[in-house]
Amino acid sequence: MSWEDKVRRVVPYVAGEQPKERDIIKLNTNENPYPPSPQVLQAAKELETQMDRLRLYPDMNAAPLAEAIAQRYGASPEQVFVGVGSDDVLAMCFLTFFTGGGKLLFPDITYSFYPVWAQLFNIPYEEVPLDDQFRIRTEDYLNRGELAGIIFPNPNAPTSLAKPVAEIEQIAAGNPGCVVIIDEAYVDFAGESCLPLLAKYDNLLVVQTFSKSRTMAGLRIGYAIGSAKMIGYLKDVKFSFNSYTMNLPSIVLGTAQIRDDAYFLETCGRIVKTRTWFCGELSRLGFEYPEPSANFVFAKHPEKSGEALFKKLREKKIIVRRWSRPRIGEYLRITIGTDEQMRAVVKALEEILPGI
Ligand SMILES: *Cc1c(COP(=O)(O)O)cnc(C)c1O
């Protein structure tokens, strides 16, 4: 027997490239092109005069931040669970809620971290195919017998397609015997949130993040909102794993960010506007894409290879995301950056297309 026989072996999630070059247009991990609110800088300056606070452990519940999130969404602080990015929150959810008999269901084309967590935690799962227009079919998630749970992003990634909340309500209503998690990482870019459904369905949990619409991927903040009972179970598991995950600067700066709603709405609005313009340009260049509701577009050209487009853009120092997987190999997922960045993408595509 070697020690290696006792290792937990997993195939890890592969995140988008984080390039070292500085002069690159980085549109591959759906970060926000705008800086955090000026209120965050103000809070950072105040924190700088209180470095003594770093001697102490932070609040275990990230209380000021959880309270600010609760206030923003009309929930009580007991309904909010805060974690180190929504990846941390989602991992804790998998560990907490998906222990029952039956399978965990999620789409075949979706956030590729879900199968990784399911494998890590030994949760049996089924990848439910999207229809040929990349839609999540409601009926595929109904009358499925005993399930461990259901999870999908809305809008879905990497398709950018949103599912109407009324259809998600049918899934929540039809599955009272398991937890249904809606991963709303992209909901603020003109999507429709499932938060109003929480009052009616105690098996529903909504997860959101500061990494995309709240322009703070570097700070690592995510949160779940659900019933106090559900959040209580989540905290029990989290406190059985690592109590102090949220550091003080994240709590302080995150609180400042979520309190500045005007800035948040303005930057989201700008991205939606840029997306509309960029989609018009993509159509003009012959690209096809599902109607986007996130801060990215999932586009393919009917006559050009996705791989060739990806490589040529990379040569021009524009990084987008592509997966060499069945059904989506010809697609590029392009994050919406500033107007200037997207003009550069259009110019690059105009130069590339005739030559490939
Ligand atoms: C980006 C993303 C997340 C995780 O983001 P964090 O940075 O960990 O908050 C979760 N779900 C989806 C669908 C995402 O695209």
Side-chain angles (χ1 to χ4, degrees):
M1 256 289 180
S2 135
W3 61 266
E4 271 194 287
D5 298 323
K6 294 162 190 163
V7 168
R8 183 188 300 278
R9 290 174 189 237
V10 286
V11 183
Y13 171 73
V14 184
E17 182 190 358
Q18 298 294 342
K20 298 275 180 295
E21 305 114 285
R22 285 203 149 247
D23 58 339
I24 217 138
I25 298 184
K26 186 176 181 304
L27 304 173
N28 68 331
T29 49
N30 299 338
E31 287 136 329
N32 198 303
Y34 300 111
S37 150
Q39 297 298 319
V40 173
L41 181 61
Q42 194 55 39
K45 283 183 180 155
E46 279 165 34
L47 187 62
E48 201 182 2
T49 66
Q50 306 165 3
M51 282 293 128
D52 190 50
R53 290 175 74 187
L54 292 180
R55 285 188 310 106
L56 305 176
Y57 281 106
D59 186 282
M60 277 201 284
N61 291 301
L65 179 55
E67 280 161 20
I69 293 167
Q71 195 176 15
R72 168 65 176 76
Y73 291 104
S76 76
E78 294 72 41
Q79 289 182 274
V80 178
F81 175 88
V82 180
V84 187
S86 54
D87 285 343
D88 179 45
V89 175
L90 290 165
M92 286 296 138
C93 289
F94 272 57
L95 202 50
T96 308
F97 299 119
F98 300 151
T99 72
K103 288 180 178 161
L104 169 66
L105 304 186
F106 49 81
D108 62 338
I109 298 166
T110 194
Y111 188 34
S112 44
F113 223 139
Y114 300 154
V116 175
W117 285 313
Q119 284 161 26
L120 179 62
F121 301 135
N122 287 319
I123 301 164
Y125 64 95
E126 182 181 322
E127 298 177 294
V128 183
L130 299 178
D131 74 8
D132 55 13
Q133 290 170 65
F134 289 155
R135 285 177 306 207
I136 294 171
R137 270 187 304 237
T138 305
E139 57 270 29
D140 291 347
Y141 295 82
L142 296 175
N143 306 311
R144 292 296 314 264
E146 176 95 6
L147 292 175
I150 293 172
I151 182 166
F152 53 82
N154 194 47
N156 195 11
T159 63
S160 205
L161 252 190
K163 186 169 180 63
V165 166
E167 294 178 18
I168 296 177
E169 174 162 14
Q170 290 182 309
I171 293 175
N175 290 282
C178 73
V179 171
V180 176
I181 299 181
I182 307 303
D183 179 352
E184 293 191 337
Y186 301 105
V187 77
D188 299 316
F189 303 105
E192 194 188 356
S193 177
C194 285
L195 284 170
L197 297 181
L198 291 179
K200 266 168 97 179
Y201 302 96
D202 70 352
N203 60 323
L204 188 68
L205 190 72
V206 173
V207 175
Q208 299 188 349
T209 175
F210 275 50
S211 298
K212 280 77 182 228
S213 57
R214 294 191 182 273
T215 82
M216 281 187 152
L219 214 53
R220 311 306 300 128
I221 300 173
Y223 53 96
I225 306 183
S227 70
K229 193 175 187 181
M230 202 183 261
I231 297 301
Y233 284 125
L234 201 46
K235 286 185 179 176
D236 287 346
V237 170
K238 180 247 159 81
F239 292 138
S240 307
F241 189 76
N242 182 355
S243 307
Y244 299 108
T245 53
M246 296 303 295
N247 64 66
L248 182 71
S250 286
I251 296 172
V252 171
L253 303 184
T255 304
Q257 175 74 359
I258 198 142
R259 285 195 181 140
D260 193 349
D261 214 40
Y263 183 86
F264 162 71
L265 295 173
E266 196 224 308
T267 44
C268 288
R270 260 198 254 173
I271 288 169
V272 170
K273 214 172 140 201
T274 306
R275 182 181 72 197
T276 305
W277 175 82
F278 181 64
C279 282
E281 292 298 291
L282 282 181
S283 299
R284 178 175 66 79
L285 295 171
F287 282 86
E288 295 166 357
Y289 48 87
E291 189 57 38
S293 289
N295 65 335
F296 56 87
V297 186
F298 197 52
K300 73 164 182 192
H301 197 288
E303 289 138 30
K304 312 286 177 178
S305 129
E307 191 182 5
L309 280 167
F310 178 86
K311 284 190 178 148
K312 290 285 177 193
L313 283 170
R314 187 74 181 75
E315 283 168 21
K316 290 182 178 286
K317 298 197 180 243
I318 295 171
I319 314 189
V320 299
R321 194 96 198 261
R322 176 183 167 264
W323 291 266
S324 39
R325 284 187 45 186
R327 293 181 79 185
I328 59 171
E330 302 306 328
Y331 283 82
L332 303 178
R333 191 196 68 186
I334 308 170
T335 303
I336 301 299
T338 60
D339 286 334
E340 190 193 351
Q341 287 176 317
M342 301 326 282
R343 277 196 294 269
V345 175
V346 170
K347 182 165 170 280
L349 289 172
E350 281 169 340
E351 289 162 9
I352 292 166
L353 284 170
I356 57 171

